[in-house]
Amino acid sequence: MNILIFTVLTLCVVGVAAAVLLWFVASRFKVEEDPRIDVVEKMLPGANCGGCGFAGCRGMADALVVREDIADLYCPVGGGDTMKAVAEYLGKTAPEKEPRTATVRCGGSCGKRPRTNTYNGAASCAVASSLYAGETGCAFGCLGYGDCVEACTFGAIYIDETTGLAAVDADKCTACGACVKACPKGIIELRKKWPKNRAVYVSCVSKDKGAVVMKACKAGCIGCMKCVKVCTFDAITVENNLAFIDSDKCKLCRKCVNECPTGAIRLTGMDPLPKEPKTVPAAQQNNA
């Protein structure tokens, strides 16, 4: 009995001593945190999506409070209004950025990009891309297994059952960039978000030469330069056989859409320009 009592008392003494030691250590090494961090964190959307470059909204809030210059900090989910409110609270200047939206740059639907083989592995774009080029002759196109869908926490991206390609709901997209990081093919990018979700972009990332592209996908870019010649805003460049439209320079004039022979330049939210009638040379008119 005495041994039991002694053991209990010993454990109690050790427990109290440990508690006192922990209290002393916590007090000695306590880190004072700016109370404004809690306030700023509550002002942020709380999505913890990582679109700002930090692991979560807490990290973003800490950076906003600590840094004197917050020009490089931006919350894509909260947008300009949230950044302005945070800046006013902290007495700083908020960065002004145009809203962006995710864009899937692949037009190789089932009808345009026929299958040449069958994949029986794990239904994951990351796994499939690490094993082989894909089920079609195009090694650059969308695999359609939905890694981007799983990465999106806003339900803004899905796999279109008709085309077999990833598609974005621009009204739900917050431009957090999670789908961009998830795509092993690099076909998703953040582009300028126009009013009414209008857009003009090249829906292809293939760097193969024209003949190879057309054999693999009838909707691919063949690098013909026709779009470059018709653009009056220097918004289109062609590099490595692939055209690219700079959304910050593009004025949505839509001339390039009519010039593209393969339909690789996509137009959304607008009607195409009426095609100009072909002019017949005067000599041919006289002969007729």
Side-chain angles (χ1 to χ4, degrees), residues 34-56:
D34 194 320
R36 294 180 299 171
I37 296 177
D38 293 327
V39 178
V40 172
E41 184 181 12
K42 292 179 181 179
M43 297 173 71
L44 295 175
N48 295 316
C49 61
C52 58
F54 296 92

Side-chain angles (χ1 to χ4, degrees), residues 137-196:
C138 177
F140 299 89
C142 175
L143 294 170
Y145 296 119
D147 287 19
C148 52
V149 178
E150 295 181 5
C152 181
T153 58
F154 303 97
I157 193 165
Y158 60 96
I159 301 299
D160 190 309
E161 295 181 357
T162 303
T163 63
L165 305 174
V168 177
D169 185 338
D171 292 325
K172 295 181 179 179
C173 180
T174 61
C176 69
C179 59
V180 177
K181 298 175 182 177
C183 179
K185 294 290 186 177
I187 66 171
I188 305 177
E189 67 176 24
L190 298 180
R191 298 179 63 82
K192 179 179 178 180
K193 187 174 184 179
W194 291 89
K196 299 181 180 179

Side-chain angles (χ1 to χ4, degrees), residues 2 9 25-26 49 74 81 105 123 139 149-150 157 181 186 193 203 206 208 241 250 270 279 287:
N2 293 332
L9 290 176
V25 172
C49 61
Y74 189 77
D81 293 338
R105 293 185 57 204
V149 178
E150 295 181 5
I157 193 165
K181 298 175 182 177
K193 187 174 184 179
S203 59
S206 175
D208 287 333
N241 308 308
C250 178
M270 295 181 292
T279 57
N287 292 334

Side-chain angles (χ1 to χ4, degrees), residues 224-232 234 236-238 243-244 256:
C224 64
M225 299 289 292
K226 289 185 176 181
C227 53
V228 177
K229 295 175 182 177
V230 77
C231 181
T232 57
D234 295 326
I236 308 178
T237 55
V238 173
F244 176 78
C256 58

Side-chain angles (χ1 to χ4, degrees), residues 196-214:
K196 299 181 180 179
N197 296 329
R198 296 169 177 168
V200 175
Y201 61 97
V202 179
S203 59
C204 180
V205 296
S206 175
K207 295 179 176 62
D208 287 333
K209 292 184 178 180
V212 178
V213 172
M214 290 306 296

